[in-house]
Amino acid sequence: MNNRLINWFKFASPQTFYPLAGKMIPWFWALTAVFGIAGLYIGFFVAPTDAQQGEGYRIIFIHVPASWMSMFIYLVMAFWAALGLGFNTRLSGMMASALAPTGALMAFLSLWTGALWGKPMWGTWWVWDARLTSELILFFLYLGFIALQSAIDDARRADKAGAVLALVGVVNIPIIYFSVKWWNTLHQGASVSLTRSPSMAQTMLWGMLLMALAFWMYSIAVSLTRVRAIILERERHAGWVEELTEIKQP
Amino acid sequence: MAEASLSSALAAVIRRDLLLALRRKSDVLTTLFFFVIVVSLFPLGIGPEMAMLRQIAPGVLWVAALLATMLSLPRLFAADHADGTLEQMALSAVPLGVLVTGKILAHWLLSGLPLALLAPVLGLQFDLPADALGVMVLALLIGTPVLSLIGAVGAGLTLGVRGGGVLVSLLVLPLYVPVLIFGAGAVESHIGGLGATAHLSLLAAFLALAAFFGPWATTVALRIALE
């Protein structure tokens, strides 16, 4: 058999993925720290004060990356869910359930920082604007996913039921993403676009992108840590778990 | 046994569910009364000014329709699951998707259609003009099948799960939001003089999407529940 093919599927089993994840986690934490410190430094000390919004705009260094991550994590979760449903792989379901709490956290953070920003800028904590509402729905979808999984005792059934829900809910992602284009409500347009040159100062953009990378690395590190815990919990009867140095009783 | 065609199987499932509902009318009537009572509570809570009531009527009617549909969702598969009928359906020669479509259609005939027919009477309480009532009924006729189709997925996922009744609201209500927005929006924009066509077209698009994916996702959910 082709050697490369084996390597592709090698880490699809919890037994081989567990040590790999353990080796990767410190690296992702280190990258989180590097990107986070650089991003925060640029965000708070280098980036100029905004002409219209004063210092308050600096919350976008948290708000925008959190919003991006909340949508992206859902897509990744749905991707793993589809993979798990299609190929009946165990690890995909575990990945999906490991991602959900981080996604919920990001959606909550996005809503919360948005409210903190909205009070001085718009004069209100909350408006029933299309983007805010669809982000709130995304938060509810995460909560629904977590609630459904925790209501089902059988882990395999929980994975599959959650996968169906994740795939049904994925229609919401394009709605959030395009909401500022489709409905001209209070929320300002997209801050960053791939097709036109950025409308904000270079340093602001750099700060935001570095923070986005930091959030990205954080999400990966936390999800891997969580998936390790899920693997240990579900595979506790397997022989290889008892062989692990951190499990073995002295 | 003669080989049953798909359409006759579909008709048989619809007929069976309607007959079952006819034999036990209270289930269907409870949902309708719930709808009427919830809608009638709003004027009491908000105050009897006609201008205000006219403004909130579309939203109130739609939210009540959503809640009433939710109330009827658990009985979509629960009884059949309890007595083993659902397993027989999954094992039968007819594809489960067809039978599920029949059950969803029957659910709509028992909950969505009566809601749409009742809505004009309730709309009168809110002083809605006659043409707005017409748009309301039309929007409900297009929108309530979407509610049944999406709800069936939630009902399938929570089948036999502890706390399923509460869970289904958490799963299904967020997905109902687009229908709510465009359903109520159709009536509002008609009253505002903008015309309801755009909203109704979007609702119809949701219906087309839900009609395609809904039964399929429900079938997957049911197979998971039956494992």
Side-chain angles (χ1 to χ4, degrees):
Chain A
M1 195 190 274
N2 190 343
N3 232 347
R4 196 187 276 164
L5 196 69
I6 299 169
N7 283 338
W8 269 108
F9 292 107
K10 189 181 167 197
F11 294 111
S13 98
Q15 185 180 354
T16 45
F17 188 72
Y18 180 85
L20 175 75
K23 265 182 237 148
M24 289 195 299
I25 288 167
W27 290 101
F28 282 114
W29 276 119
L31 286 172
T32 307
V34 171
F35 288 131
I37 291 166
L40 286 175
Y41 177 74
I42 291 180
F44 282 111
F45 299 107
V46 181
T49 307
D50 190 78
Q52 292 164 14
Q53 305 183 351
E55 302 291 346
Y57 89 91
R58 289 183 200 275
I59 208 160
I60 67 160
F61 294 117
I62 303 291
H63 177 69
V64 172
S67 312
W68 281 347
M69 284 316 292
S70 69
M71 288 188 272
F72 187 69
I73 289 179
Y74 196 91
L75 287 180
V76 176
M77 195 175 92
F79 167 76
W80 285 121
L83 217 62
L85 211 55
F87 295 107
N88 214 6
T89 45
R90 280 177 304 160
L91 192 60
S92 328
M94 296 183 198
M95 274 310 283
S97 42
L99 282 164
T102 309
L105 175 75
M106 290 297 166
F108 177 74
L109 209 58
S110 159
L111 289 167
W112 192 24
T113 53
L116 287 177
W117 180 87
K119 186 62 183 167
M121 301 302 167
W122 294 343
T124 172
W125 296 108
W126 180 261
V127 280
W128 287 101
D129 158 269
R131 180 159 263 190
L132 273 63
T133 312
S134 47
E135 181 77 21
L136 184 69
I137 295 169
L138 180 68
F139 180 53
F140 289 153
L141 284 176
Y142 277 122
L143 291 189
F145 181 88
I146 297 169
L148 180 66
Q149 288 217 317
S150 58
I152 303 174
D153 292 323
D154 176 27
R156 303 280 286 162
R157 193 190 157 189
D159 275 350
K160 287 184 179 175
V164 173
L165 183 69
L167 288 176
V168 171
V170 96
V171 280
N172 191 42
I173 299 294
I175 295 183
I176 307 176
Y177 190 75
F178 293 110
S179 58
V180 282
K181 267 189 200 161
W182 292 345
W183 293 278
N184 276 315
T185 40
L186 199 51
H187 197 284
Q188 65 191 52
S191 321
V192 178
S193 162
L194 290 176
T195 47
R196 57 183 168 74
S197 59
S199 55
M200 57 168 77
Q202 277 295 320
T203 43
M204 287 185 197
L205 184 68
W206 274 110
M208 210 161 80
L209 291 180
L210 281 171
M211 284 307 288
L213 278 173
F215 271 61
W216 209 310
M217 296 303 138
Y218 164 82
S219 304
I220 296 174
V222 169
S223 307
L224 286 180
T225 311
R226 201 175 286 118
V227 85
R228 263 163 70 93
I230 294 174
I231 290 175
L232 280 187
E233 200 183 330
R234 292 203 189 163
E235 305 280 302
R236 60 183 176 274
H237 307 300
W240 67 269
V241 171
E242 280 161 27
E243 299 293 310
L244 293 169
T245 46
E246 60 260 45
I247 301 292
K248 216 183 259 178
Q249 297 295 329
Chain B
M1 198 179 84
E3 199 172 300
S5 74
L6 295 185
S7 54
S8 71
L10 188 73
V13 171
I14 296 175
R15 189 167 167 277
R16 168 179 171 273
D17 274 21
L18 292 183
L19 261 179
L20 278 175
L22 208 64
R23 296 280 185 275
R24 215 174 46 198
K25 296 184 192 68
S26 66
D27 277 358
V28 179
L29 290 178
T30 322
T31 316
L32 286 180
F33 278 124
F34 178 82
F35 180 59
V36 174
I37 289 171
V38 168
V39 171
S40 313
L41 284 178
F42 274 89
L44 296 173
I46 287 167
E49 298 117 72
M50 278 306 179
M52 163 87 87
L53 288 183
R54 217 175 297 133
Q55 213 175 10
I56 62 163
V60 167
L61 279 163
W62 264 100
V63 170
L66 252 60
L67 294 177
T69 309
M70 275 239 340
L71 198 66
S72 65
L73 279 180
R75 76 153 195 268
L76 186 51
F77 299 117
D80 283 348
H81 182 54
D83 65 10
T85 314
L86 204 59
E87 276 177 44
Q88 295 305 317
M89 284 180 166
L91 292 173
S92 80
V94 184
L96 183 58
V98 174
L99 302 176
V100 163
T101 310
K103 287 193 75 69
I104 296 173
L105 265 171
H107 178 261
W108 177 70
L109 289 173
L110 291 169
S111 73
L113 188 61
L115 291 186
L117 297 179
L118 257 179
V121 185
L122 296 172
L124 281 178
Q125 290 184 319
F126 287 78
D127 196 33
L128 278 181
D131 51 335
L133 286 179
V135 174
M136 180 89 214
V137 174
L138 196 60
L140 277 169
L141 281 178
I142 305 174
T144 43
V146 186
L147 302 185
S148 292
L149 285 159
I150 299 176
V153 182
L157 284 175
T158 53
L159 196 59
V161 168
R162 86 187 109 85
V166 187
L167 196 56
V168 87
S169 62
L170 188 59
L171 303 185
V172 163
L173 280 182
L175 299 171
Y176 276 178
V177 169
V179 182
L180 171 69
I181 291 175
F182 291 107
V187 187
E188 272 158 21
S189 64
H190 177 81
I191 295 174
L194 289 168
T197 326
H199 287 90
L200 291 178
S201 308
L202 274 167
L203 268 186
F206 285 138
L207 177 57
L209 262 180
F212 184 76
F213 288 110
W216 178 69
T218 312
T219 312
V220 177
L222 286 178
R223 288 216 187 275
I224 294 167
L226 287 175
E227 247 174 31

